[in-house]
Amino acid sequence: MTSHLQNLFDHNRAWAAEMVAERPTFFTELLKQQSPRYMWIGCSDSRVPANQITGLAPGEVFVHRNVANVVVPTDLNCLSTIQYAVDVLKVEHLMVVGHYGCGGVQAALNDVRVGLADNWLRHIKDVRDRHAGLIDGLPEHRRADALCELNAIEQVMNVAQTTVVQDAWMRGQMLTLHGWVYGLSDGLLKDLLITAEGTQGLDAIYRAAVDGVTARHFG
């Protein structure tokens, strides 16, 4: 085993010992069925760890991550994770969280070829093209941040339109969707003000969130 990998095992043992020292029942409690209140759909970027950002312990947030936090109806991996979170774990809040400085968003914005992932980033380009009037009217240095925000907003709408979420709302299950963005430069989360508790008024909430992006970047 290389020294770099051995370091991971060493850090793991130190972390486990620290957890037990702080709370002796920590791992025995984790053996119980998880019952998180939150689901986080975020980017695979290694700089955006959901638990640390939110100050939540293992077992408190259910996480799905992919390149540029995209939710599409053909991605059975993502949809299966959402279904388990909603139907089995009964999460109360589902957050789609983008982040500024996202490499996938940057590539989609500027039509940079990265390889096989170009096919995945087509979904971000669809967001870019849908909001071309807004994005093209911004100074170049603000366009990527605006697209990060718009992408998170659009993905919340995609989550809202899944059969899993639609069925949950139809049966009266308490489930709220949120769109946030995370700042690598300051470590802070920003609420994009797209919060949905059902299908009623969803279009108006969406339009208001997009208007918010316009106001932030043109203000």
Side-chain angles (χ1 to χ4, degrees):
M1 187 180 297
T2 67
S3 60
H4 295 297
L5 292 181
Q6 184 58 50
N7 286 340
L8 298 185
F9 282 92
D10 293 342
H11 291 320
N12 167 250
R13 292 187 179 92
W15 171 78
E18 181 181 350
M19 292 299 101
V20 172
E22 291 179 359
R23 192 168 72 186
T25 60
F26 180 81
F27 290 107
T28 55
E29 290 174 4
L30 281 185
L31 289 174
K32 302 173 184 176
Q33 173 61 41
Q34 60 177 332
S35 55
R37 295 178 59 196
Y38 312 104
M39 179 176 183
W40 172 292
I41 298 177
C43 183
S44 298
D45 194 302
S46 60
R47 300 167 295 176
V48 191
N51 288 77
Q52 288 176 270
I53 288 170
T54 54
L56 295 174
E60 293 185 325
V61 58
F62 199 62
V63 178
H64 177 82
R65 298 170 70 176
N66 60 46
V67 175
N69 46 273
V70 173
V71 178
V72 290
T74 54
D75 181 4
L76 295 183
N77 185 345
C78 182
L79 295 184
S80 297
T81 309
I82 294 173
Q83 187 270 327
Y84 191 84
V86 173
D87 292 349
V88 178
L89 299 178
K90 307 294 184 186
V91 296
E92 299 172 18
H93 299 274
L94 189 158
M95 300 86 74
V96 178
V97 187
H99 69 95
Y100 298 125
C102 179
V105 170
Q106 291 273 7
L109 176 65
N110 298 312
D111 285 316
V112 175
R113 291 292 301 273
V114 297
L116 181 63
D118 294 332
N119 300 282
W120 181 254
L121 297 179
R122 178 67 252 177
H123 301 296
I124 313 295
K125 292 182 180 181
D126 289 341
V127 176
R128 177 200 64 186
D129 296 344
R130 186 174 301 121
H131 299 282
L134 191 167
I135 293 170
D136 292 346
L138 289 171
E140 189 171 348
H141 69 279
R142 307 202 72 164
R143 292 175 184 173
D145 284 356
L147 185 52
C148 287
E149 296 175 6
L150 291 166
N151 181 52
I153 290 168
E154 293 288 348
Q155 304 315 319
V156 171
M157 293 298 292
N158 288 346
V159 174
Q161 292 160 5
T162 63
T163 55
V164 173
V165 171
Q166 292 276 318
D167 290 347
W169 281 339
M170 190 175 298
R171 62 178 176 259
Q173 184 172 335
M174 298 297 294
L175 174 65
T176 305
L177 309 183
H178 309 267
W180 298 348
V181 68
Y182 172 71
L184 294 174
S185 63
D186 58 14
L188 298 179
L189 289 165
K190 179 184 295 181
D191 188 350
L192 296 174
L193 302 179
I194 181 163
T195 302
E197 299 176 332
T199 57
Q200 188 172 6
L202 192 56
D203 288 341
I205 293 169
Y206 167 77
R207 288 193 298 272
V210 173
D211 288 345
V213 176
T214 302
R216 266 190 300 279
H217 294 283
F218 280 101

